[in-house]
């Protein structure tokens, strides 16, 4: 989190039966690295929230804001706002800075939108406490429904002979109903949470999965699971059913990542940050504590080390010797120098 | 199956084009451990079926039953019944005892409802022959459709430029369209069959799966697959893509289960009942016949045994030694006594 | 690809906002091994395309074709055509021969239909270049939508308080919205692409997956992933989460397949063609290059070989010795003769 990202967005909310906002859709969130920009916009809306907060716009507030946007040469955004103001749904103005944790549902949704719109990258936004802010909702063919309201809605639909199709009961919705970023294929949208960051050129196959605050930097073939916090470098391939340990559960404090030009084989897994150009053999799980025999080109043992101690080395093949059962790391190319490894004492 | 559970429920059915009932939704199934309770209710409905069976209620039958419920101080249930009687769908009264196998589609659906409503626990209900009783159906955005009726319905929708979205072709529907139990999150509802038992505090992530007659006893993080018949104890964590062998296929006669406070790592698997407090390392599959080196705290070999012979031992870490390739079980905590193991001869 | 398969079909198309056809549904594709049959039909439709191509039929063209079909004793097909001509959607006539690669979206969809209708088997149709022909589309509850049209459609729905549910963003749709072949169960239809070939008696569970140009020859229990190009023989069982390497990515030139009466255990995987009657132990990944100790019934080493060198041998159990860590192949039955293996020098 180097530079602060300031954002604001106009959204359409969903409310529960008590009128509380439980979910927000922002068609075109805006970001700026300059705090004054946001202030210029927001100061025209009876805005008291500083860089973080939201307000529900009434028709007069919407008109004021539209005029302000027009004056700022933001005709397209003004036009979008005017269309959104015609909806019967609540119209929201929300602002969020990357440094502050989300304090409300609209702010949390804005942060998740920023990630999936590629306006912020994983780890650039403060998402502390987001699980406590978001509400567990039923995501249905009739939109988001509060769980307290669900039984009545479900019964009503059944009485009418209709189906209230519940796709998910979760705090995070699926990304694609909010934004489909350009240049991606997603075989099964149920597997990508809002807040995922998919680089252009990414294909996520049916067995692939991407959590929020995680994703790919560019071209990638994802048939495995990208856990929360994990970023995959360009031109890497995650094989079917492979696993990356998340920082939310089980992965400890080490941030797991996948470098460029990596291949994690089918049903394999990593609990380490994988360096550029590395391959993990199909079916092999390398955790941080896995003891690995590091070999040179001739197959001679260089040293035995835990995976966390050698995982900075590039262009290695991690495999389990199928005759001895020992996990080995061998250079993928003759050109790979293991000098660093030879002389390393850590 | 110690005490018999007697149940009855009022449901709304779906019929095929011939008028046969193919599916039933019961919004509020009732259970009782006292057979006479059910009898009191049922005897007022021209009921001939004993403790197992169903009848389609006509308006007069519905009114009789509503009055009977009112007389029994069951005002809420009577009111629900009166609302359900206004539906154009067939209104059913169904009863089922836990001891008897399901003999009809309404009974099978009632049993599955009882499990997902947490009114019966896995293995408490006789489900013998349920695959033969249930019909393979298309589960669509227009509800359940018999497969013989499907091609015509599909073509008709296409001609109108509409989509008949088919979510599943299966004997078992997904749970959440019938009941979302309190205190759960289900990232992808397609992965939980009706008849699953999810304890309060259970989160099932996208890669998680729960079959019928299986589930969790309480708080749990499920990112792996809970096969039919498998029950997971409280505070256990099933890592991404992990597997539990079912008794339906491959698992033989041993009932697989997961104790309390267990962790099965990502892409791991078990073919044994796992004792409380045990961990299976990511990527390791322990079948009943896997030979395991049981070690003590110092790393000394206690004995070599098949996993089925030592799986009653608590607080073990199962891992594959990454240098020797041998599967080991080591105490997770110094306090764990292996005396039992030392002196065991089985 | 021994004999050429000639096919034609009448379909209903979906267009993008520019009027281009992006998707086609063919309710009843026709195949024939005789080229003259297709010619007889097509010559009555101002057809210039030879054995491969498509035309959009206007009402007069539809009537001409219906009359021709009636004259050919194809009353049922004529009647279907007349019904389809009443739709407001574009009516297409498309022809395709198995030898020619698909040159248009309608041809590509016809080929995929032929596979899923079991009118052609995997590898029987030339599918070269199909990724380049098909367009990446949003598959939604409102049908197929071009990605350029999606943002406007999505915003419009949100403004109306409706949900444009996006199930998939992919070149290939899911099979079941086009055809549900007889005698199959598919627990989660999102996991089967159009172009999959599912033999009668196939059950695909929630964790199962079948790509296009791949499938099962008959009775099968599929809880793992069948990659593009992979065919599974009768009475085989793919355990939960198991993997078969595809030829599209990672599998090289060897065509992976699964013989009859095979069992691939849960979380296991193969990068070899697996011979009839073989079992791969749960959790073991056997790639083509895996070195395997081939044992006889007494457990004596016959020879050590790469899996690709012994994978023609039937009725073997592939396992990893849980004490030594070495991958072994042992005869499943005493009757299995390893003579061939003993005398093999390859």
């Amino acid at each position: 989190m180097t530079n602060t990202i300031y954002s604001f967005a106009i959204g359409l909310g969903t409310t529960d039966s008590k009128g509380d906002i439980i979910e927000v859709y922002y068609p075109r969130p805006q970001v700026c690295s300059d705090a004054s920009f946001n202030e210029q916009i927001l100061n025209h809306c009876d805005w008291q929230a500083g860089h973080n907060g939201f307000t529900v716009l009434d028709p007069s507030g919407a008109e004021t804001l539209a005029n302000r946007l027009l004056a700022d040469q933001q005709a397209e955004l003004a036009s979008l706002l005017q269309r959104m103001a015609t909806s019967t749904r609540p119209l929201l103005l929300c602002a969020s800075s990357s440094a502050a944790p989300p304090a409300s549902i609209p702010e949390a949704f804005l942060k998740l939108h920023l990630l999936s719109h590629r306006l912020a990258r994983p780890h650039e936004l403060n998402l502390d406490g987001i699980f406590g802010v978001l509400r567990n909702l039923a995501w249905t063919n009739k939109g988001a429904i509060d769980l307290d309201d669900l039984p009545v809605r479900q019964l009503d639909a059944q009485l009418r002979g209709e189906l209230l199709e519940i796709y998910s009961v979760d705090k995070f919705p699926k990304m694609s109903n909010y934004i489909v970023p350009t240049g991606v294929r997603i075989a099964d949208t149920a597997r990508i949470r809002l807040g995922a960051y998919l680089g252009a050129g990414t294909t996520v196959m049916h067995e692939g999965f991407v959590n929020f605050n995680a994703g790919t930097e560019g071209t990638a073939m994802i048939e495995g699971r990208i856990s929360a916090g994990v970023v995959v470098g360009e031109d890497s391939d995650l094989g079917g059913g492979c696993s990356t340990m998340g920082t939310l559960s089980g992965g400890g404090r080490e941030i797991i990542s996948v470098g460029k030009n990596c291949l994690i084989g089918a049903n394999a897994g990593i609990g380490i940050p994988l360096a550029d150009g590395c391959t993990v053999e199909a079916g092999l799980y390398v955790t941080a504590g896995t003891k690995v025999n590091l070999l040179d080109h001739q197959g001679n043992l260089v040293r035995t080390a835990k995976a966390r101690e050698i995982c900075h080395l590039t262009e290695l093949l991690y495999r389990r010797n199928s005759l001895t059962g020992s996990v080995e790391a061998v250079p993928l190319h003759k050109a790979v120098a293991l000098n660093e490894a030879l002389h390393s004492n850590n």
Side-chain angles (χ1 to χ4, degrees), chain A:
Chain A
M1 290 192 211
T2 46
N3 293 316
T4 302
I5 300 169
Y6 297 92
S7 65
F8 80 90
I10 305 150
L12 294 170
T14 298
T15 52
D16 64 11
S17 61
K18 295 171 194 148
D20 292 337
I21 287 168
I22 58 174
E23 175 269 351
V24 188
Y25 164 70
Y26 301 106
R28 208 171 305 164
Q30 305 291 313
V31 293
C32 186
S33 56
D34 176 6
S36 65
F37 173 77
N38 260 19
E39 289 161 9
Q40 279 175 31
I41 300 295
L42 300 173
N43 286 344
H44 288 259
C45 301
D46 286 327
W47 185 263
Q48 318 262 338
H51 294 298
N52 294 279
F54 74 98
T55 186
V56 177
L57 292 172
D58 59 14
S60 137
E63 198 180 328
T64 306
L65 179 56
N67 289 335
R68 173 67 208 171
L69 289 168
L70 280 170
D72 268 16
Q73 317 294 330
Q74 306 242 20
E76 211 179 342
L77 203 54
S79 161
L80 175 64
L81 168 57
Q82 285 162 336
R83 283 195 68 200
M84 290 170 71
T86 65
S87 175
T88 56
R89 297 171 63 186
L91 186 69
L92 280 84
L93 175 63
C94 183
S96 173
S97 74
S98 58
S104 65
I105 288 172
E107 288 168 72
F109 270 81
L110 178 48
K111 283 175 181 277
L112 297 175
H113 276 72
L114 294 179
L115 287 159
S116 292
H117 276 261
R118 297 182 189 142
L119 296 172
R121 296 159 60 83
H123 302 292
E124 282 191 330
L125 303 180
N126 185 335
L127 299 171
D128 291 352
I130 194 167
F131 275 88
V133 169
L134 293 173
R135 223 193 268 187
N136 192 23
L137 300 173
W139 303 92
T140 80
N141 60 339
K142 300 296 181 188
I145 298 179
D146 188 78
L147 290 181
D148 287 342
D149 300 335
L150 186 65
V152 170
R153 295 281 297 268
Q154 201 161 25
L155 177 60
D156 286 350
Q158 290 274 355
L159 289 171
R160 288 192 303 271
E162 291 172 6
L163 186 65
L164 183 66
E165 178 73 30
I166 300 173
Y167 300 115
S168 172
V169 179
D170 199 0
K171 298 197 166 203
F172 296 82
K174 67 184 203 181
M175 181 187 77
S176 65
N177 284 359
Y178 295 82
I179 169 69
V180 175
T182 53
V184 304
R185 283 197 286 140
I186 304 169
D188 183 355
T189 59
R191 309 273 298 181
I192 316 277
R193 273 178 161 174
L194 183 64
Y197 180 104
L198 296 192
T202 295
T203 294
V204 185
M205 285 288 283
H206 306 69
E207 187 64 22
F209 162 75
V210 189
N211 213 326
F212 74 99
N213 200 32
T216 59
E217 297 191 321
T219 304
M221 172 58 73
I222 305 301
E223 311 192 49
R225 302 184 301 274
I226 302 181
S227 298
V230 176
V231 175
V232 175
E234 274 192 87
D235 296 318
S236 284
D237 187 337
L238 267 59
C242 80
S243 157
T244 57
M245 277 192 184
T247 46
L248 292 178
S249 61
R253 291 189 186 169
E254 298 173 72
I255 294 184
I256 309 306
S257 60
V258 178
K260 297 177 186 178
N261 296 302
C262 289
L263 169 64
I264 304 182
N267 288 3
I270 57 164
I272 53 169
L274 195 66
D276 292 349
C278 287
T279 293
V280 180
E281 177 192 56
L284 174 65
Y285 211 111
V286 181
T287 62
T290 300
K291 285 177 193 154
V292 179
N293 285 331
L294 180 65
L295 307 182
D296 67 14
H297 281 294
Q298 284 73 40
N300 299 315
L301 181 67
V302 176
R303 64 180 181 119
T304 299
K306 291 192 171 177
R308 74 161 60 87
E309 296 162 356
I310 60 166
C311 65
H312 58 287
L313 297 172
T314 59
E315 299 186 29
L316 291 181
L317 163 65
Y318 291 86
R319 70 182 181 201
R320 187 186 302 277
N321 186 306
S322 65
L323 296 179
T324 68
S326 63
V327 175
E328 300 169 343
V330 297
L332 274 167
H333 309 290
K334 287 204 179 168
V336 177
L338 286 177
N339 292 350
E340 187 190 1
L342 281 162
H343 300 289
S344 168
N345 295 310
N346 66 339

